[in-house]
Amino acid sequence: MMTTNKEIVIKRYLRDSAGTMPEFWEGIWQHSPTTMKALAAQADARLVRECSRHLPPKAKLLEGGCGSGSYLARFAEMGYQVVGVDFAQRTVARLNAALPDLDVLVGDIRDLPFPNNTFDAYYSGGVIEHFEDGLMPQIEEAYRVLKAGGVFLVTVPYLNVSRNLSARWFGNRVKIDLDGRDTYIETLVDFKPGAASENEIPADYVFHEYVLPATYMRRVLTQAGFIVEGEMPFSSRWGLLDLERVRRLAGIGLQHRHAGHRMAAALLRLVEYIERKDGALFEATANLIGWLVGNLRLYVARKPNLSESQGIRQ
């Protein structure tokens, strides 16, 4: 029952604002911490650990769509030369006021204000999937601003085994999403992002994001000229919480939770513990859990160096 490389899932929110609008994100980020230490603590430990394995020391690193600034803060703590860009003007102003040592600009990730070949690395965490006309403009712009041999570290929502089976069994449907919003889940086959949906979308739903199979991401990264060198499913605790049955079992949102709720919540804490721990056994277990229920997937893609580029042209 594994997905084909042509199957893709779309989420649409029953909201007047969604991932394409700054107001949506500013509402989420307005209560974020305003100190470097507190922001850095919010970064996913496993994701940062894996990213750092592919970064040269003191790399000049761009984060496109930096949001609250948690990953900017964490990478800065680790000694990287960080630059952040986001389209939410109030969020950028808030970051600049609270953390003046960070270099954060207002900008569009599809039209970045930097020359060609500027950065050693580009980190994009859950951003490029929020454009209904597709991923390629965002990916091509990342390719442009990276130096030859530079690395693109990009995460997107993952069409894991659980989501793939749900799409096949239940088809298009409305569910409650992770943040409590009504969400329309649309399953599309033989679909190219940007094309009009043939399904009748319920009134008042607006596009929010794509949830992507790994085969599709590998293909578009390769088409843009990148060499895909690694992948990692992660954020499995949040992937479990994306399942309404799990949220009910754990008593999420209830004021009074009984022993059964607490036992179910212990599973979530165990998954989070496994993901945070380093070591081969923990990594293998986390990858298996992530394949089944991981909320996100990291792709490590490298811009070819000059000799590789010449070989490709030949």
Side-chain angles (χ1 to χ4, degrees), residues 175-178 240-253 261:
K175 66 183 285 283
I176 304 299
D177 207 52
L178 279 167
L240 282 168
L241 286 171
D242 193 35
L243 303 172
E244 290 184 75
R245 186 178 298 273
V246 171
R247 293 202 299 271
R248 289 198 298 270
L249 287 172
I252 301 300
H261 290 147

Side-chain angles (χ1 to χ4, degrees), residues 41 51 76 88 107 111-112 123 143 191 199 220 228 230 236-237 239 289 307:
C51 287
D111 186 19
L112 291 165
Y123 171 70
Y143 189 95
F191 173 76
N199 298 321
V220 294
V228 180
S236 293
R237 177 178 180 273
I289 297 171
S307 61

Side-chain angles (χ1 to χ4, degrees), residues 36 39-41 43 48 69-80 82:
M36 184 80 78
L39 277 171
V48 171
S70 58
Y71 287 90
L72 276 184
R74 185 69 186 101
F75 287 129
E77 279 189 346
M78 297 170 70
Y80 300 111
V82 299

Side-chain angles (χ1 to χ4, degrees), residues 67-178:
S68 67
S70 58
Y71 287 90
L72 276 184
R74 185 69 186 101
F75 287 129
E77 279 189 346
M78 297 170 70
Y80 300 111
Q81 305 172 58
V82 299
V83 178
V85 169
D86 202 276
F87 73 157
Q89 296 185 22
R90 288 189 304 218
T91 297
V92 171
R94 183 168 169 270
L95 272 175
N96 284 328
L99 304 171
D101 291 338
L102 290 183
D103 188 3
V104 188
L105 311 171
V106 175
D108 181 349
I109 64 168
R110 298 196 288 183
D111 186 19
L112 291 165
F114 308 109
N116 297 349
N117 312 308
T118 298
F119 296 95
D120 302 305
Y122 183 137
Y123 171 70
S124 172
V127 180
I128 67 171
E129 70 276 9
H130 289 292
F131 295 81
E132 191 169 13
D133 59 357
L135 281 65
M136 195 57 75
Q138 301 87 278
I139 295 174
E140 289 177 339
E141 187 68 347
Y143 189 95
R144 181 187 70 78
V145 299
L146 280 169
K147 298 176 183 177
V151 63
F152 185 35
L153 303 160
V154 55
T155 78
V156 295
Y158 175 35
L159 187 62
N160 58 44
V161 171
S162 173
R163 287 170 174 164
N164 182 43
L165 292 177
S166 294
R168 290 177 178 272
W169 289 341
F170 303 121
N172 301 341
R173 68 197 192 281
V174 175
K175 66 183 285 283
I176 304 299
D177 207 52
L178 279 167

Side-chain angles (χ1 to χ4, degrees), residues 265-302:
L267 172 64
L268 298 173
R269 291 194 294 272
L270 176 61
V271 168
E272 187 173 29
Y273 173 80
I274 291 170
E275 285 206 310
R276 290 184 67 86
K277 295 292 286 186
D278 201 357
L281 180 58
F282 286 108
E283 283 294 315
T285 305
N287 280 330
L288 175 60
I289 297 171
W291 174 66
L292 293 170
V293 296
N295 184 43
L296 301 166
R297 192 175 182 95
L298 166 71
Y299 299 85
V300 181
R302 183 170 56 83

